Amino acid sequence: MKSVTRRSFLLATLATVAYTACGPAAQPSAPGKPAEPAKPAEAPAPSQAQTTAPAQGAAEVAGKIVFWHAMSGVNGEAVNKMVDGFNKSQSKVAVEAIFQGNYDDLLAKLKTALASNSAPALVQVYDIGLRFMVDSGEITPMQDFIDREKFDTADFEQNVLAYYQLDNKLYGMPFNTSSSILYYNKDMFKAAGLDPNTPPKTLDEVTEYARKLVKKEGSEVTQYGFHQAIYGWLFEQYMAVSGGLYVDNGNGREARATKAVYHDDKGQAILDWWKAGVDGGYFGSFGRVTDDSAKAFDAGKSAMYVESTARMRGHINNSQGKFELGTGFYPRPANAPREGGNIIGGASVYVLKSRPAPEQQAAWEFVKYVASAPVQAQWQADTGYYPMRKAAYDEAVSKEWVGKYPQFNTAVDQIHAVPVNRITQGAVFGVFPQARQRIETGIEELLLGKAGSKETLDRAAEEITAAIDKYNKSTR
């Protein structure tokens, strides 16, 4: 595709596609002033081996660049700390971080900026925007910088890097990385006679526990046993832990995806289980808005729910003095194959090639700083997102964080237990945002009794397959 055609395609697609983030882009501060882990006043500087000043003979760097992001609340504060730490660690590059609202807002503004040649050097885009960003032709792959400097990524979490790779080329550098886990109220477990240190591991066990945890006053449920948002990302996780693909051609990683394939026995079993729990009165349903599901859990309206580890810090803060927070692996079918496992969530950062080469190089210098072990350890402590590199766990601030909040070990242990394959790498296709919303609409209809699981998935898959075909034709 010629450059002009690619740009026209990018702008048209941005104008019509609505995006839904994997895990909250913003993690608001808890009400009041809950106790928080001790944090250094400033982000740490990387070790000598990880300094970000360009090596002798390196490409020219610009003196100032702009970084657009979608982090607010405590996460936004952590971004500002990170940027301030970078700016103070050297004198060649100054980064200006600009909050652009949620992921939807940011991409709408990116559309305008690209049209007027005023895009930033570095931009944060959430995970399922990978195919779209690659097809736009507007980015310089991170692999170009890695190869040029022979930058070592051996210490990086390989399943995190694998998500943002196509044909063994890394396009976006992971920035905020999360996973999906089970959160539960240990106090409610104790009251129901359940072992507070043994969360359910399978879907059947979730049902069994939920039946014991539900409370009623007359016909009114005052405490559900389990709930989850009507959120397409959670369905994607259930498909992955079940060992199922979302689209064909190895989830769109061996060749371009041409059709949706989630409308199989695995997908139907997931929806049948979900529907049975809601109909039985022991699963709650608080709609599509993930914040509403999080608030319901914090308020004690439900004993268990599944969500992103991006919620970890917020739940830790909000549970203090109220109940003991427990975490467990994301539940899976009892007969799930070993190759199944969770897919990461979050976002990565992309270097935009419309900026002059010195600005692109400056953006890379900042990316390297962000990826350093000390900075990643501080990012973990400040936000709850887990580090992109293993050496971060050896940093004092990380050890302090995990020692004080052992719940975070669940996320780390789970991601390390997941094999890297086409299932766990996640799907890559251009209309993923549309597909996610279509699944959510289908689940709403299912829970309202308007359609069965097979009809729900068949209709959604048919529509998304048509959308994939249209998208693929537009990029040729």
Side-chain angles (χ1 to χ4, degrees):
M1 184 187 299
K2 294 181 180 180
S3 178
V4 173
T5 305
R6 282 188 181 276
R7 174 163 290 197
S8 299
F9 156 75
L10 172 70
L11 301 184
T13 306
L14 278 174
T16 58
V17 177
Y19 282 73
T20 308
C22 293
Q27 181 62 61
S29 301
K33 294 183 179 180
E36 297 182 353
K39 298 182 291 186
E42 300 177 358
S47 65
Q48 186 65 32
Q50 298 162 330
T51 53
T52 58
Q56 191 69 27
E60 180 186 357
V61 297
K64 180 180 178 180
I65 61 166
V66 173
F67 166 41
W68 282 8
H69 68 90
M71 304 271 99
S72 66
V74 295
N75 292 347
E77 293 170 5
V79 169
N80 291 337
K81 178 191 290 187
M82 183 186 293
V83 169
D84 185 59
F86 172 74
N87 289 341
K88 291 178 178 178
S89 72
Q90 44 74 56
S91 59
K92 292 182 179 294
V93 179
V95 174
E96 180 184 6
I98 302 178
F99 172 65
Q100 297 289 1
N102 61 29
Y103 290 122
D104 297 344
D105 299 332
L106 187 153
L107 284 171
K109 292 174 183 178
L110 180 62
K111 173 197 71 171
T112 302
L114 287 169
S116 60
N117 198 31
S118 59
L122 193 68
V123 64
Q124 178 194 27
V125 177
Y126 75 139
D127 49 4
I128 61 174
L130 170 61
R131 177 82 265 171
F132 172 75
M133 291 301 288
V134 172
D135 288 342
S136 75
E138 294 288 342
I139 63 172
T140 299
M142 289 293 172
Q143 196 67 47
D144 290 3
F145 300 99
I146 291 171
D147 292 345
R148 186 183 305 150
E149 293 189 10
K150 295 181 172 55
F151 182 75
D152 188 6
T153 60
D155 181 53
F156 284 53
E157 296 283 7
Q158 293 305 303
N159 49 1
V160 177
L161 288 183
Y163 188 98
Y164 297 104
Q165 290 174 330
L166 285 177
D167 299 323
N168 296 316
K169 177 183 286 190
L170 185 70
Y171 285 90
M173 182 65 80
F175 187 73
N176 51 303
T177 304
S178 60
S179 183
S180 53
I181 62 172
L182 176 79
Y183 293 95
Y184 67 98
N185 186 316
K186 288 192 173 185
D187 293 356
M188 291 181 180
F189 269 47
K190 293 174 185 176
L194 295 169
D195 183 349
N197 297 314
T198 308
K201 297 179 181 178
T202 68
L203 301 186
D204 290 342
E205 287 178 352
V206 169
T207 296
E208 177 188 345
Y209 281 44
R211 284 174 169 157
K212 294 178 180 179
L213 288 160
V214 69
K215 287 185 177 181
K216 294 184 178 181
E217 291 182 1
S219 60
E220 181 181 354
V221 176
T222 59
Q223 174 186 301
Y224 287 101
F226 173 81
H227 77 282
Q228 55 196 347
I230 298 174
Y231 185 16
W233 184 57
L234 299 180
F235 175 76
E236 295 153 29
Q237 299 296 326
Y238 283 124
M239 283 297 297
V241 298
S242 299
L245 296 172
Y246 199 83
V247 291
D248 66 347
N249 292 331
N251 255 342
R253 292 181 178 275
E254 294 167 4
R256 276 186 178 270
T258 64
K259 62 182 179 180
V261 296
Y262 50 70
H263 57 310
D264 59 5
D265 292 344
K266 296 182 181 69
Q268 291 174 39
I270 293 162
L271 295 195
D272 287 341
W273 165 78
W274 194 336
K275 169 77 167 161
V278 172
D279 287 351
Y282 41 89
F283 285 9
S285 184
F286 300 96
R288 286 195 189 192
V289 181
T290 56
D291 281 348
D292 291 344
S293 282
K295 290 175 183 176
F297 177 73
D298 288 337
K301 295 181 180 180
S302 177
M304 303 181 290
Y305 96 124
V306 288
E307 239 291 6
S308 168
T309 54
R311 295 280 182 185
M312 180 80 73
R313 181 62 179 269
H315 285 318
I316 287 174
N317 286 347
N318 292 330
S319 64
Q320 288 179 5
K322 297 178 181 178
F323 63 88
E324 186 177 1
L325 178 67
T327 54
F329 279 18
Y330 199 82
R332 61 178 60 202
N335 61 349
R338 290 185 177 181
E339 61 263 27
N342 292 78
I343 306 167
I344 69 159
S348 64
V349 289
Y350 294 88
V351 175
L352 294 178
K353 72 177 187 181
S354 62
R355 304 310 302 170
E359 287 193 31
Q360 295 185 44
Q361 184 63 29
W364 168 242
E365 299 302 326
F366 175 63
V367 167
K368 287 190 293 181
Y369 172 86
V370 170
S372 67
V375 175
Q376 282 295 295
Q378 187 65 50
W379 175 249
Q380 173 196 11
D382 289 347
T383 65
Y385 287 110
Y386 57 80
M388 74 171 80
R389 63 188 310 161
K390 299 168 188 174
Y393 298 114
D394 295 327
E395 296 290 327
V397 66
S398 179
K399 291 180 179 179
E400 178 185 355
W401 162 260
V402 174
K404 191 171 184 179
Y405 300 106
Q407 296 96 334
F408 188 77
N409 282 322
T410 299
V412 177
D413 292 344
Q414 179 175 263
I415 206 69
H416 288 165
V418 173
V420 179
N421 55 43
R422 296 309 189 205
I423 296 167
T424 62
Q425 277 184 282
V428 180
F429 60 109
V431 294
F432 208 152
Q434 180 181 340
R436 179 170 289 173
Q437 292 186 349
R438 182 60 185 85
I439 280 290
E440 291 171 2
T441 299
I443 293 173
E444 285 179 329
E445 294 173 348
L446 173 83
L447 297 182
L448 290 172
K450 295 182 178 180
S453 61
K454 185 178 188 306
E455 181 184 2
T456 293
L457 293 177
D458 283 349
R459 287 189 342 208
E462 181 180 5
E463 289 181 26
I464 295 308
T465 295
I468 290 172
D469 182 62
K470 182 178 180 180
Y471 174 91
N472 288 345
K473 288 177 179 177
S474 74
T475 62
R476 290 172 185 165

